[in-house]
Amino acid sequence: MHGYGPTPQQQTTSRPSPATLTAVRVILVTVTVLSCGLLGWVAMLRLAIVTRRPRDWVLLVVVMVLNAALFAFIVSTPDDPDDMSDASVLLMLLWIVALLAGVITYYLYVEIRHYSSLRSLGSPAPYTATAPAHPTPLPYQQHPAQQHQQPQQHHQQPQPNPYTVQTPPPTPTPAPQRLDQVRAELDELSDYLRKENREGEGR
């Protein structure tokens, strides 16, 4: 595990420069063409060593067998070209052309593709700024959990404050008692007025 900062790059295998690769390819192709395909196994041997794939080693063995068979066929032909039949000449030409085209095409294609893949794997990735582990929340941004809890808080009843003193509501005076008191006072007042009238008449 590594701490913060850019991840250290792995060491890539050293590869030859493009100029060296081009020179090696030109030499191997020239040798294959000048030998009429008899030395085509040299290019295939280099390819098998570079790629280290089982398929290329198998193809190296196949090319060596074909080269040996072509060499034996050429040795078995008469020294005078006029004594060779047309079929033998045609077979030898087709053999040489097919061997040359197959070895050169396959060698160049696989080796160029192999080094191109190594170059793409070894090139460093562009640096991208990594986000902090704990991002700072925005001033007006709420946490998702708070957003879910907020609607539920509206449905909860407010808790009473234990430090507030509740004043009892005023007790209303019963209406019938008040009416009886007023009626009694009116009766007393009427009795008093009657007495005054009677005393005035007696005098």
Side-chain angles (χ1 to χ4, degrees):
M1 294 179 66
H2 302 282
Y4 294 101
T7 307
Q9 301 175 2
Q10 297 179 353
Q11 263 189 341
T12 56
T13 55
S14 59
R15 56 181 178 274
S17 62
T20 305
L21 290 175
T22 303
V24 171
R25 290 165 189 164
V26 170
I27 292 173
L28 291 177
V29 169
T30 303
V31 168
T32 303
V33 172
L34 293 180
S35 64
C36 297
L38 293 177
L39 295 180
W41 61 270
V42 178
M44 295 303 297
L45 177 61
R46 165 168 170 81
L47 185 63
I49 294 174
V50 169
T51 61
R52 299 179 182 178
R53 292 188 302 183
R55 182 179 64 182
D56 294 333
W57 289 104
V58 172
L59 290 177
L60 170 63
V61 174
V62 171
V63 170
M64 291 179 69
V65 171
L66 292 176
N67 287 337
L70 178 61
F71 181 76
F73 179 77
I74 293 174
V75 171
S76 63
T77 55
D79 295 334
D80 188 1
D82 296 335
D83 296 339
M84 294 178 59
S85 62
D86 295 337
S88 299
V89 174
L90 182 62
L91 178 61
M92 184 175 63
L93 290 177
L94 291 177
W95 198 332
I96 293 174
V97 171
L99 193 59
L100 286 173
V103 169
I104 294 173
T105 303
Y106 183 79
Y107 164 70
L108 293 177
Y109 172 75
V110 175
E111 189 180 68
I112 292 172
R113 184 177 178 183
H114 173 73
Y115 281 109
S116 298
S117 62
L118 288 181
R119 189 179 300 110
S120 62
L121 290 176
S123 59
Y127 175 75
T128 55
T130 56
H134 302 284
T136 305
L138 296 176
Y140 300 100
Q141 184 179 4
Q142 293 183 352
H143 197 270
Q146 296 178 357
Q147 295 178 357
H148 292 290
Q149 292 177 1
Q150 187 175 2
Q152 298 178 0
Q153 293 177 358
H154 293 289
H155 298 287
Q156 295 178 357
Q157 297 181 357
Q159 299 293 332
N161 192 353
Y163 298 101
T164 57
V165 179
Q166 296 182 358
T167 57
T171 305
T173 306
Q177 294 181 1
R178 182 67 177 169
L179 291 176
D180 293 341
Q181 185 178 359
V182 172
R183 190 178 300 164
E185 292 177 356
L186 290 175
D187 291 342
E188 291 178 358
L189 182 60
S190 61
D191 292 341
Y192 176 75
L193 292 175
R194 286 192 194 115
K195 288 180 182 180
E196 291 291 331
N197 290 332
R198 286 176 186 173
E199 290 178 356
E201 289 176 358
R203 293 177 185 175

